[in-house]
Amino acid sequence: MSEAAPNPPSAGPTAPRPALLSFLGGVGAVTGSKFLVESDHARILLDCGLFQGFANLRRRNRERFARDAIDRTEVVLRPDEDLAVEVRSEVVEPLFPLSHRQVEVRVEAGVVTLSGKVHDGGPIPLAARLTRAVEGVVDVECRLAVGPGPDGPPPPGGNGPS
Protein backbone atom coordinates (compact mmCIF):
# COMPACT_ATOMS: atom_id res chain seq x y z
CA MET A 1 0.00 0.00 0.00
CA SER A 2 1.29 3.47 -0.78
CA GLU A 3 0.95 6.32 1.66
CA ALA A 4 1.88 9.97 1.38
CA ALA A 5 1.83 13.26 3.20
CA PRO A 6 2.64 16.73 1.96
CA ASN A 7 5.96 18.11 3.12
CA PRO A 8 5.67 20.89 5.70
CA PRO A 9 5.78 24.41 4.25
CA SER A 10 9.22 25.99 4.27
CA ALA A 11 10.09 29.38 5.71
CA GLY A 12 11.00 30.86 2.34
CA PRO A 13 11.82 30.08 -1.26
CA THR A 14 14.52 27.49 -1.74
CA ALA A 15 16.01 25.75 -4.74
CA PRO A 16 14.17 22.52 -5.60
CA ARG A 17 15.90 19.41 -4.37
CA PRO A 18 16.10 16.08 -6.16
CA ALA A 19 13.86 13.26 -4.97
CA LEU A 20 15.35 11.17 -2.18
CA LEU A 21 14.89 7.38 -2.02
CA SER A 22 15.36 5.62 1.36
CA PHE A 23 15.39 1.86 1.88
CA LEU A 24 13.60 1.19 5.18
CA GLY A 25 12.87 -2.52 5.37
CA GLY A 26 13.79 -5.88 4.01
CA VAL A 27 17.51 -5.53 4.72
CA GLY A 28 18.90 -9.04 5.16
CA ALA A 29 15.58 -10.58 4.09
CA VAL A 30 13.81 -11.38 0.86
CA THR A 31 10.51 -9.74 1.80
CA GLY A 32 9.29 -6.90 4.01
CA SER A 33 10.71 -4.21 1.74
CA LYS A 34 9.72 -0.59 2.36
CA PHE A 35 10.86 2.41 0.34
CA LEU A 36 10.34 6.07 1.18
CA VAL A 37 10.38 8.54 -1.72
CA GLU A 38 10.61 12.20 -0.66
CA SER A 39 10.45 15.30 -2.85
CA ASP A 40 9.53 18.95 -2.43
CA HIS A 41 5.90 18.01 -3.12
CA ALA A 42 5.25 14.78 -1.20
CA ARG A 43 6.50 11.85 0.81
CA ILE A 44 5.39 8.44 -0.42
CA LEU A 45 5.89 5.22 1.50
CA LEU A 46 5.86 2.07 -0.62
CA ASP A 47 5.18 -0.98 1.52
CA CYS A 48 6.08 -3.99 -0.59
CA GLY A 49 5.05 -6.90 1.57
CA LEU A 50 5.36 -8.83 4.79
CA PHE A 51 8.36 -10.53 6.32
CA GLN A 52 8.25 -14.31 5.89
CA GLY A 53 10.29 -17.21 7.19
CA PHE A 54 11.63 -17.58 10.71
CA ALA A 55 9.49 -16.43 13.63
CA ASN A 56 11.84 -13.55 14.49
CA LEU A 57 11.30 -12.13 10.96
CA ARG A 58 7.51 -12.67 11.04
CA ARG A 59 7.30 -10.78 14.37
CA ARG A 60 8.68 -7.69 12.56
CA ASN A 61 5.37 -7.49 10.64
CA ARG A 62 3.63 -6.39 13.86
CA GLU A 63 6.27 -3.88 14.98
CA ARG A 64 5.55 -0.17 14.88
CA PHE A 65 7.09 1.50 11.84
CA ALA A 66 10.12 3.57 12.84
CA ARG A 67 9.29 6.70 10.77
CA ASP A 68 6.57 8.37 12.90
CA ALA A 69 7.01 11.71 11.10
CA ILE A 70 4.98 10.47 8.13
CA ASP A 71 1.32 11.42 8.28
CA ARG A 72 -0.34 8.33 6.86
CA THR A 73 -2.70 9.65 4.20
CA GLU A 74 -3.55 7.25 1.42
CA VAL A 75 -2.22 8.25 -1.96
CA VAL A 76 -4.90 8.68 -4.57
CA LEU A 77 -3.50 8.16 -8.03
CA ARG A 78 -5.66 9.84 -10.65
CA PRO A 79 -4.86 10.67 -14.25
CA ASP A 80 -3.75 14.27 -14.77
CA GLU A 81 -6.50 14.74 -17.36
CA ASP A 82 -9.19 13.77 -14.81
CA LEU A 83 -7.76 16.22 -12.28
CA ALA A 84 -7.77 19.02 -14.87
CA VAL A 85 -11.42 18.37 -15.77
CA GLU A 86 -12.48 18.37 -12.10
CA VAL A 87 -10.53 21.53 -11.23
CA ARG A 88 -11.98 23.35 -14.22
CA SER A 89 -15.61 22.32 -13.58
CA GLU A 90 -15.63 22.37 -9.76
CA VAL A 91 -13.28 25.30 -9.02
CA VAL A 92 -12.49 27.56 -11.97
CA GLU A 93 -15.91 27.84 -13.64
CA PRO A 94 -17.89 28.54 -10.43
CA LEU A 95 -15.33 31.01 -8.99
CA PHE A 96 -14.63 32.89 -12.22
CA PRO A 97 -17.93 32.76 -14.16
CA LEU A 98 -17.07 35.84 -16.23
CA SER A 99 -13.51 34.95 -17.15
CA HIS A 100 -13.15 31.17 -16.74
CA ARG A 101 -12.26 30.80 -20.43
CA GLN A 102 -9.09 32.84 -19.83
CA VAL A 103 -7.91 30.47 -17.08
CA GLU A 104 -5.59 27.67 -18.13
CA VAL A 105 -5.56 24.53 -15.98
CA ARG A 106 -2.46 22.38 -16.52
CA VAL A 107 -1.67 19.22 -14.54
CA GLU A 108 1.60 17.35 -14.56
CA ALA A 109 2.21 14.44 -12.16
CA GLY A 110 -0.61 15.70 -9.93
CA VAL A 111 0.75 19.26 -9.72
CA VAL A 112 -1.92 21.72 -10.90
CA THR A 113 -0.94 25.06 -12.43
CA LEU A 114 -3.62 27.75 -12.71
CA SER A 115 -2.64 30.60 -15.00
CA GLY A 116 -4.24 33.42 -16.95
CA LYS A 117 -6.13 36.66 -16.36
CA VAL A 118 -9.35 36.98 -14.37
CA HIS A 119 -11.65 39.96 -14.03
CA ASP A 120 -12.05 39.65 -10.24
CA GLY A 121 -9.03 38.81 -8.10
CA GLY A 122 -10.96 38.24 -4.88
CA PRO A 123 -11.48 34.48 -5.40
CA ILE A 124 -7.85 33.75 -6.41
CA PRO A 125 -6.70 32.56 -2.94
CA LEU A 126 -9.85 30.45 -2.59
CA ALA A 127 -9.22 28.91 -6.01
CA ALA A 128 -5.78 27.76 -4.86
CA ARG A 129 -7.16 26.29 -1.61
CA LEU A 130 -10.07 24.50 -3.31
CA THR A 131 -7.77 23.12 -6.01
CA ARG A 132 -5.39 21.79 -3.34
CA ALA A 133 -8.37 20.01 -1.72
CA VAL A 134 -9.26 18.05 -4.88
CA GLU A 135 -8.54 14.38 -4.26
CA GLY A 136 -5.34 13.40 -6.06
CA VAL A 137 -3.82 16.90 -6.31
CA VAL A 138 -0.22 16.87 -5.06
CA ASP A 139 0.47 20.62 -5.16
CA VAL A 140 -0.84 23.84 -6.72
CA GLU A 141 0.98 26.64 -8.52
CA CYS A 142 -1.36 29.62 -8.77
CA ARG A 143 -0.26 32.12 -11.42
CA LEU A 144 -3.61 33.85 -11.83
CA ALA A 145 -3.59 37.63 -12.22
CA VAL A 146 -6.22 40.34 -12.47
CA GLY A 147 -6.38 42.05 -15.82
CA PRO A 148 -7.72 42.01 -19.32
CA GLY A 149 -7.80 38.66 -21.02
CA PRO A 150 -8.08 37.96 -24.73
CA ASP A 151 -11.66 39.31 -24.65
CA GLY A 152 -10.50 42.78 -23.64
CA PRO A 153 -10.42 44.74 -20.39
CA PRO A 154 -12.56 43.78 -17.43
CA PRO A 155 -16.02 45.30 -17.47
CA PRO A 156 -16.74 48.25 -15.16
CA GLY A 157 -17.16 46.91 -11.64
CA GLY A 158 -15.92 43.49 -12.79
CA ASN A 159 -19.44 42.16 -13.39
CA GLY A 160 -20.08 42.40 -17.14
CA PRO A 161 -20.00 39.58 -19.68
CA SER A 162 -16.65 38.17 -20.76
Side-chain angles (χ1 to χ4, degrees), residues 77-92:
L77 300 176
R78 293 180 60 193
D80 289 346
E81 196 172 288
D82 290 356
L83 291 173
V85 168
E86 184 172 344
V87 168
R88 176 159 292 290
S89 65
E90 301 295 322
V91 178
V92 173

Side-chain angles (χ1 to χ4, degrees), residues 2-118:
S2 299
E3 298 177 349
N7 281 337
S10 62
T14 59
R17 63 186 175 108
L20 176 67
L21 176 63
S22 301
F23 300 92
L24 304 174
V27 177
V30 176
T31 59
S33 301
K34 291 179 180 60
F35 306 94
L36 180 63
V37 181
E38 298 177 274
S39 76
D40 290 335
H41 301 292
R43 284 185 275 177
I44 301 172
L45 175 66
L46 303 171
D47 185 350
C48 299
L50 299 172
F51 287 99
Q52 299 173 17
F54 297 110
N56 63 335
L57 283 177
R58 290 193 316 269
R59 279 192 288 274
R60 293 178 70 183
N61 292 326
R62 293 182 292 279
E63 291 176 4
R64 182 169 173 76
F65 189 60
R67 299 288 281 248
D68 291 336
I70 300 172
D71 180 17
R72 309 222 175 205
T73 306
E74 190 173 323
V75 171
V76 178
L77 300 176
R78 293 180 60 193
D80 289 346
E81 196 172 288
D82 290 356
L83 291 173
V85 168
E86 184 172 344
V87 168
R88 176 159 292 290
S89 65
E90 301 295 322
V91 178
V92 173
E93 291 175 4
L95 287 179
F96 305 105
L98 304 176
S99 53
H100 66 87
R101 286 182 215 91
Q102 284 87 30
V103 175
E104 180 184 5
V105 178
R106 284 186 303 118
V107 183
E108 187 174 326
V111 178
V112 178
T113 302
L114 302 172
S115 60
K117 304 282 185 176
V118 295

